Amino acid sequence: MNGGTPVLAPYAQHDAASRGRRFPEPPPRHRTEYQRDRDRIVHSTAFRRLVYKTQVFVNHEGDLYRTRLTHSLEVAQIARSVARALALNEPLAEAICLAHDLGHTPFGHAGQDALHECMREFGGFEHNLQSLRVVDELEERYAEFPGLNLTFETREGILKHCSAANARRLGDLGERFLQRRQPGLEAQLANLADEIAYNNHDVDDGIRAGLISIEELRGVAIFRRQYDLVTERYPGLSARRLVHEVVRRMIDYLVNDLIDASSTSIAAASPADAEAVRARSEPLLTFGPEVSAEHLELKRYLRQHLYRHYKVLRMTNKARRVVRELFEAMLEDVDLMPTEHQEAARRMEAEGGRSGRARAVADYIAGMTDRFAILEYQRLFDPSERT
Ligand code: MG
């Protein structure tokens, strides 16, 4: 420890090696550059909206389920623990995690798929790219620049995936997708922390919703191992405490394996610095082979039994319809959108034709929370509803 600031490993992202911000700014007085990024994300409008956006369960289905806000906090918490253990840049990892879902549409994956379908002939819709659009352009909070003007490294971490066509348009940020290079370790970490968080909280939420059962989950190795340990040690535990104890142990198991396996792979590669990490063709942060396979088994189980459960499919079917019909009506007549979005649509149409106009409609819809999208749908299509 050095004056309370943790010593970073050579392969961590060091503040002094940052590629900087799109619009140069004087350095913060009492924070690091990545702490400033994190704080700007927390103060953004898009971050607050995450409280009413969901991943699997539509927001109004119940108050007990994770929202994208609590999900983002859980991801950040997991990433911070791992960052500390591996001597990575903790504020950078935290900033990436808190921003990683900012571009998500209402209604989780169903909303995203529907919007992508609507935007097919206009360049498509990718939520990672939309998260970047939010922090680069759509947030309006600062006098001197559009967006949040975050550092290159935070933006690099937000852009987890990207098509080759979009990568070409993005310049320096898109380069790695074309050259098949990796992002820094903090970005690799955010990606894995995201997986650990959602697989485990979907188990918890799925059981609570009655869509999957403990009995069935005992067929999944990673669940069974912790379940057997807990039931042997604490026989007669109530169902709720049992589930929470098993889930907390699964998270712990995955996090420890991630730290151990990554320490080994980092030691073997011994990258001199963060640029050496980026130059590699494969990520260095990883689970061990056994846990990778078990984690995959859990993901497959959830896909089959939770995400494709008929009750979830009914919700996602409704969600797709809401997004599709809002998009079609607003693309046809942009004056159905509130004034500032009409203006954006006219400006973007003047610059980019019909694709620009469609992008403005997609921006408006992507920014909606679940309940706002449902309200807009009622206001537009339900004759008995006031506008
Ligand atoms: Mg996520």
Side-chain angles (χ1 to χ4, degrees):
M1 297 294 272
N2 177 10
T5 308
V7 176
L8 298 183
Y11 43 79
Q13 177 63 47
H14 291 247
D15 291 63
S18 174
R19 288 171 72 174
R21 300 174 190 276
R22 294 205 299 166
F23 302 89
E25 292 182 63
R29 282 180 62 199
H30 302 295
R31 295 174 290 180
T32 68
E33 295 286 358
Y34 303 120
Q35 284 174 333
R36 174 149 76 180
D37 279 3
R38 176 201 59 203
D39 297 348
R40 286 184 177 179
I41 292 158
V42 169
H43 288 291
S44 70
T45 306
F47 186 71
R48 280 196 300 282
R49 283 185 185 149
L50 294 177
V51 71
Y52 296 118
K53 292 196 185 199
T54 42
Q55 195 145 309
V56 179
F57 300 91
V58 173
N59 182 248
H60 64 227
E61 299 280 330
D63 291 337
L64 292 172
Y65 303 118
R66 266 70 171 187
T67 68
R68 287 214 180 259
L69 183 66
T70 59
H71 163 68
S72 299
L73 295 174
E74 288 180 30
V75 175
Q77 178 271 319
I78 289 169
R80 288 177 61 190
S81 302
V82 179
R84 289 220 154 208
L86 297 176
L88 302 180
N89 197 316
E90 184 183 335
L92 172 58
E94 188 181 12
I96 296 168
C97 293
L98 293 177
H100 86 284
D101 271 352
L102 289 180
H104 257 287
T105 60
F107 313 125
H109 299 297
Q112 131 96 20
D113 292 347
L115 202 50
H116 183 57
E117 191 58 42
C118 294
M119 288 293 288
R120 192 166 289 277
E121 55 180 303
F122 308 114
F125 180 90
E126 298 174 28
H127 67 259
N128 287 299
L129 206 57
Q130 190 69 10
S131 296
L132 190 67
R133 233 174 116 59
V134 167
V135 301
D136 280 355
E137 291 174 53
L138 298 179
E139 282 287 325
E140 296 180 288
R141 311 195 72 81
Y142 300 92
E144 300 198 351
F145 43 78
L148 306 180
N149 198 30
L150 304 180
T151 59
F152 176 89
E153 294 73 29
T154 301
R155 297 169 62 235
E156 171 194 48
I158 291 171
L159 194 64
K160 194 163 72 176
H161 305 291
C162 179
S163 66
N166 283 322
R168 265 178 234 113
R169 276 197 310 105
L170 284 168
D172 56 355
L173 208 60
E175 271 168 22
R176 75 175 163 95
F177 297 98
L178 303 172
Q179 299 168 354
R180 302 191 181 284
R181 288 153 45 97
Q182 300 302 311
L185 291 175
E186 290 78 5
Q188 295 180 26
L189 169 55
N191 192 6
L192 292 168
D194 186 24
E195 281 191 30
I196 294 175
Y198 69 69
N199 284 320
N200 283 284
H201 62 52
D202 286 352
V203 167
D204 186 12
D205 285 349
I207 292 173
R208 189 181 295 119
L211 303 180
I212 51 178
S213 70
I214 295 176
E215 283 61 44
E216 273 176 19
L217 273 161
R218 285 171 65 192
V220 179
I222 202 166
F223 185 92
R224 182 173 58 242
R225 181 181 298 106
Q226 305 305 329
Y227 175 89
D228 287 348
L229 279 171
V230 173
T231 48
E232 199 195 334
R233 184 147 176 208
Y234 307 101
L237 208 57
S238 73
R240 174 161 300 183
R241 283 173 75 175
L242 173 64
V243 170
H244 289 162
E245 185 66 32
V246 171
V247 168
R248 125 182 144 74
R249 282 164 183 260
M250 282 202 298
I251 294 174
D252 198 52
Y253 176 75
L254 287 163
V255 165
N256 287 329
D257 182 76
L258 174 59
I259 292 168
D260 294 342
S262 300
S263 300
T264 306
S265 69
I266 291 169
S270 64
D273 54 22
E275 280 313 303
V277 169
R278 291 187 171 89
R280 301 182 65 84
S281 58
E282 295 295 326
L284 279 172
L285 284 210
T286 176
F287 296 111
E290 194 193 349
V291 172
S292 283
E294 287 181 2
H295 203 209
L296 201 64
E297 185 196 11
L298 174 64
K299 277 163 103 166
R300 285 211 190 96
Y301 172 85
L302 288 172
R303 195 178 315 135
Q304 227 177 334
H305 297 272
L306 181 60
Y307 311 142
R308 298 202 54 79
H309 191 286
Y310 81 94
K311 287 188 179 169
V312 173
L313 291 180
R314 284 178 183 187
M315 284 190 281
T316 56
N317 182 55
K318 261 192 288 192
R320 268 201 303 273
R321 170 170 306 181
V322 170
V323 168
R324 197 169 51 231
E325 292 188 15
L326 285 177
F327 182 87
E328 282 166 6
M330 288 168 176
L331 180 66
E332 192 54 39
D333 184 358
V334 295
D335 291 343
L336 294 175
M337 295 193 289
T339 318
E340 55 178 301
H341 293 279
Q342 296 173 21
E343 285 161 5
R346 296 217 164 78
R347 192 181 65 244
M348 288 163 71
E349 186 167 11
E351 289 163 7
R354 196 161 164 85
S355 291
R357 175 187 173 116
R359 185 64 56 191
V361 175
D363 283 342
Y364 178 50
I365 293 174
M368 293 178 186
T369 62
D370 296 5
R371 60 181 189 176
F372 185 82
I374 292 167
L375 259 176
E376 278 287 78
Y377 184 84
Q378 288 167 345
R379 287 191 284 241
L380 276 178
F381 302 113
D382 181 352
S384 65
E385 195 63 33
R386 284 202 257 178
T387 50

